[in-house]
Amino acid sequence: MAGALIWTSLCVTFVILAFNTAWTFQTKQPNIVFVLTDDQDVVLFGQQPMPKTHKLLTEQGILFKNMFVSSPLCCPSRASILSGQFVHNHNTHNNSALGGCSGPAWQNQVEPKAFVTYLKAEGYRTFFAGKYLNQYGFKRTGGVEHVPPGWDEWHGLVGNSVYYNYSLSVNGVEEKHGNNYTEDYLTDVIHHRGLEFLSQQSERHPFFMMLSTPSCHAPFTPAPQYEKEFQNEKAPRTKSFNVHGKDKHWLVEAAATPMADDVINLVDNNYRQRHRTLLSVDDMVEGVYNKLKAMDLLDNTYIFFSSDNGFHLGQFSLPNDKRQPYEFDIRVPLIVRGPGIKPNTTSEESVTNVDLAPTFVDLSGSKGQPHQFDGMSFARILHSETHQFRSTVLVEYYGEEADKVPECPQFNGQHLEGCYKRFHCICQDSKNNTYGCIRYDNSKESFKFCEFQDTANTIEVYDLKADPDELTNIAKTAPPQLLSKLTDKLAKLSLCKGKGCHDNTDL
Ligand SMILES: *[C@@H]1O[C@H](CO)[C@@H](O)[C@H](O)[C@H]1NC(C)=O
Ligand SMILES: *[C@@H]1O[C@H](CO)[C@@H](O)[C@H](O)[C@H]1NC(C)=O
Ligand SMILES: *[C@@H]1O[C@H](CO)[C@@H](O)[C@H](O)[C@H]1NC(C)=O
Ligand SMILES: *[C@@H]1O[C@H](CO)[C@@H](O)[C@H](O)[C@H]1NC(C)=O
Ligand SMILES: *[C@@H]1O[C@H](CO)[C@@H](O)[C@H](O)[C@H]1NC(C)=O
């Protein structure tokens, strides 16, 4: 009896060992590089504003034509990318520490379960350089000593995007930078630190590298060699450019149409400057690609490219910002190249930035997904398995306000923000620019449905198939049955958690 038992368990052990070894050989963990830009939209810039990125990533990989963000503002969106959660679950509501951005609740409860900690547990070497969360590194948020868990090598920017005159936390120690292009231009610093990290890697350990650039966020400072590019470009005159946003929520209706000539000049100049800053990102993508190739690591490395939110320049006469629920502010690029991805392909599936964390964890070989992730892995789409991934994307936004708006003091105490003289005091945000939206798309029909928390209980509804520019709010004319289905879907998703957020049902 005893002999038989030992023999059986030996056999089982042997089988498990053999299976494990075979599995390890067959599925080598891939490396992952994630390039995240700041404020890069798709509606105005299009899918290919950077020629090298287009050639090396898009033409060699898959372009997602329908990638959206959970919130059209830096800190909430970045919190979603890192946590795999919607705003109502990670509770980073706005760009200030009080609103959760790198605040105590984030640092104690959410950040310790960010996707990178799971990659670390799978044996990855992890590297971060660039902008993290807008409030990172200040005294009030724990200073530069706070290095988020899971990162082996950390070069985190203190505060919000800039190109010169900043501090980095280099593994918890402050490193100050001035304004010498060669030594300090932040996109290039991120580029060079990334290459240094890559030169220490080998096939023996998988790695995850996140390069998070200030481009193309304000103050839109291009590298000196690119200052003269695109002299003839203008901000695209989309169908909603310089058009009054009638039947929309208060903030949009308040914007004066037509915009003044000097505002339009500024808008065009900002478009050119934004585009120029992306040329340094393009160089970085090429540098990383060439380095991986030279080190023979390219074939086992995924390169992801995305942005934290979109941007508008004159749409509905709003001069220069994000924060709105329209396509121009919530649509961002997503391009992926890597093992098993067919070159030069596109996907029409709707994906959202909470899906990035589960996808990274899935690709790392981890069994199962952390239960708190609201997103879903889109690895199957990367590997050409077509299936309807999700029908509904949730967008949540909490409007910001300031007691005082110094450049436009007539608006002090009015719950407004982002009011500047150069834009003729057309404010870009207000406390009641607070909303929840769903974007529904089952390929036959597509709607956007938004509820605002304002005194008018404003509802905006767009038939995106008939009206992709969102010119006509059909809240008052749409069939009641459609509205009630959309209302229910939004109500359900606004409270969802984990798997409950995986909505792939038709209306
Ligand atoms: C950086 O700081 C230097 C020295 O204070 C200043 O002259 C320069 O204008 C600043 N540059 C930028 C882009 O902020
Ligand atoms: C900028 O840095 C480079 C490289 O370190 C150096 O050669 C150059 O002298 C610096 N320029 C200025 C104006 O300090
Ligand atoms: C990629 O696809 C596009 C559109 O189908 C085509 O025009 C282009 O030539 C292709 N590029 C490459 C490098 O195959
Ligand atoms: C951010 O959110 C917090 C908490 O909801 C709020 O107190 C604060 O006023 C908001 N910040 C801005 C700039 O609106
Ligand atoms: C929105 O807020 C502004 C500024 O506080 C106020 O003037 C306006 O009446 C509000 N509108 C709605 C619909 O709540």
Side-chain angles (χ1 to χ4, degrees):
M1 266 302 263
L5 250 184
I6 289 168
W7 175 239
T8 312
S9 64
L10 267 180
C11 275
V12 170
T13 310
F14 179 73
V15 168
I16 289 172
L17 272 178
F19 180 77
N20 265 348
T21 317
W23 186 82
T24 314
F25 278 119
Q26 271 165 21
T27 59
K28 193 162 124 201
Q29 289 170 295
N31 310 307
I32 303 172
V33 174
F34 177 29
V35 176
L36 180 68
T37 58
D38 197 344
D39 282 2
Q40 185 186 344
D41 66 274
V42 156
V43 172
L44 309 188
F45 271 136
Q47 294 282 9
Q48 41 179 296
M50 291 173 272
K52 295 170 181 171
T53 303
H54 184 74
K55 185 161 163 277
L56 302 176
L57 303 189
T58 314
E59 289 196 337
Q60 297 184 21
I62 182 168
L63 170 75
F64 286 81
K65 290 186 156 174
N66 292 302
M67 166 68 163
F68 301 95
V69 292
S70 61
S71 190
L73 186 66
C74 302
C75 206
S77 172
R78 284 162 186 265
S80 284
I81 290 170
L82 296 163
S83 68
Q85 294 183 315
F86 285 120
V87 176
H88 67 269
N89 287 330
H90 64 57
N91 286 317
T92 296
H93 287 175
N94 59 34
N95 279 346
S96 56
L98 255 182
C101 184
S102 208
W106 166 266
Q107 288 184 9
N108 297 329
Q109 285 147 43
V110 188
E111 192 173 62
K113 295 190 209 160
F115 72 75
V116 67
T117 62
Y118 298 93
L119 297 186
K120 189 76 207 121
E122 292 297 323
Y124 275 67
R125 299 200 164 156
T126 58
F127 173 93
F128 182 95
K131 173 171 167 184
Y132 183 59
L133 299 169
N134 300 43
Q135 297 293 335
Y136 171 76
F138 296 115
K139 276 217 178 74
R140 60 179 177 275
T141 53
V144 294
E145 302 80 33
H146 174 72
V147 175
W151 299 102
D152 294 324
E153 213 185 302
W154 176 257
H155 304 256
L157 174 67
V158 174
N160 199 3
S161 282
V162 282
Y163 299 79
Y164 294 110
N165 295 349
Y166 56 87
S167 286
L168 294 179
S169 162
V170 176
N171 302 317
V173 178
E174 181 171 16
E175 180 185 281
K176 290 192 171 158
H177 284 263
N179 62 347
N180 177 331
Y181 170 69
T182 323
E183 297 198 335
D184 303 315
Y185 189 67
L186 181 55
T187 308
D188 291 2
V189 169
I190 294 166
H191 178 170
H192 297 138
R193 304 256 162 123
L195 296 187
E196 264 170 51
F197 172 75
L198 288 181
S199 61
Q200 297 150 24
Q201 305 312 306
S202 72
E203 287 193 0
R204 292 182 34 223
H205 297 275
F207 60 83
F208 181 91
M209 177 167 97
M210 181 162 170
L211 305 174
S212 181
T213 70
S215 312
C216 48
H217 194 281
F220 323 123
T221 316
Q225 69 273 28
Y226 295 133
E227 278 167 358
K228 301 243 150 62
E229 295 291 324
F230 311 128
Q231 306 248 25
N232 299 321
E233 276 192 357
K234 285 181 167 189
R237 273 35 177 178
T238 64
K239 282 192 180 155
S240 59
F241 182 84
N242 209 1
V243 162
H244 184 59
K246 73 174 173 51
D247 295 331
K248 290 186 155 51
H249 67 106
W250 176 84
L251 185 70
V252 179
E253 286 197 329
T257 309
M259 296 186 289
D261 287 347
D262 59 316
V263 173
I264 294 181
N265 285 340
L266 196 51
V267 157
D268 285 334
N269 188 54
N270 285 355
Y271 181 78
R272 290 187 286 271
Q273 289 289 80
R274 282 163 54 74
H275 200 173
R276 289 165 185 151
T277 67
L278 286 176
L279 294 175
S280 298
V281 180
D282 211 23
D283 292 339
M284 183 180 85
V285 168
E286 182 188 46
V288 166
Y289 180 98
N290 286 342
K291 183 81 183 175
L292 289 166
K293 195 162 180 188
M295 292 181 69
D296 225 357
L297 294 170
L298 189 62
D299 289 347
N300 194 36
T301 304
Y302 290 96
I303 306 178
F304 285 70
F305 183 101
S306 195
S307 163
D308 59 357
N309 50 251
F311 209 71
H312 56 255
L313 286 165
Q315 280 61 42
F316 299 123
S317 307
L318 297 167
N320 179 89
D321 206 14
K322 49 258 183 174
R323 305 166 186 269
Q324 296 302 325
Y326 310 112
E327 298 287 279
F328 39 76
D329 285 359
I330 65 168
R331 251 179 204 281
V332 291
L334 176 63
I335 311 161
V336 193
R337 65 146 288 144
I341 299 181
K342 280 207 194 109
N344 205 23
T345 49
T346 58
S347 171
E348 304 282 339
E349 293 295 337
S350 293
V351 287
T352 167
N353 63 358
V354 298
D355 299 327
L356 288 166
T359 304
F360 298 147
V361 168
D362 192 7
L363 292 173
S364 78
S366 169
K367 301 246 157 53
Q369 290 281 344
H371 65 90
Q372 81 277 9
F373 280 5
D374 297 330
M376 298 185 277
S377 166
F378 54 78
R380 283 173 61 198
I381 305 177
L382 298 180
H383 300 130
S384 320
E385 285 180 47
T386 50
H387 60 117
Q388 190 182 314
F389 182 65
R390 57 161 75 251
S391 62
T392 318
V393 164
L394 175 69
V395 180
E396 296 166 295
Y397 183 73
Y398 290 82
E400 290 191 326
E401 60 174 320
D403 285 345
K404 290 217 164 100
V405 279
E407 292 189 26
C408 308
Q410 69 270 32
F411 293 142
N412 285 347
Q414 305 266 311
H415 310 289
L416 296 168
E417 204 200 66
C419 318
Y420 302 107
K421 264 199 186 135
R422 62 185 183 282
F423 296 125
H424 294 210
C425 291
I426 292 164
C427 301
Q428 297 290 331
D429 209 354
S430 62
K431 189 178 185 187
N432 59 16
N433 178 37
T434 291
Y435 55 82
C437 298
I438 49 169
R439 189 185 186 286
Y440 171 83
D441 189 346
N442 79 346
S443 77
K444 284 188 214 76
E445 17 171 47
S446 182
F447 296 101
K448 187 174 290 170
F449 177 85
C450 301
E451 286 176 353
F452 288 80
Q453 287 178 30
D454 59 15
T455 54
N457 295 319
T458 304
I459 293 190
E460 293 189 27
V461 189
Y462 300 96
D463 179 344
L464 296 172
K465 286 271 191 247
D467 177 25
D469 296 280
E470 300 165 292
L471 299 170
T472 310
N473 179 6
I474 58 166
K476 296 215 168 81
T477 55
Q481 222 192 344
L482 172 67
L483 293 179
S484 98
K485 285 179 181 168
L486 289 165
T487 308
D488 289 351
K489 242 189 205 308
L490 174 58
K492 184 167 163 257
L493 281 176
S494 301
L495 298 171
C496 74
K497 279 193 190 311
K499 283 189 178 149
C501 299
H502 301 182
D503 184 46
N504 194 16
T505 55
D506 283 344
L507 277 174

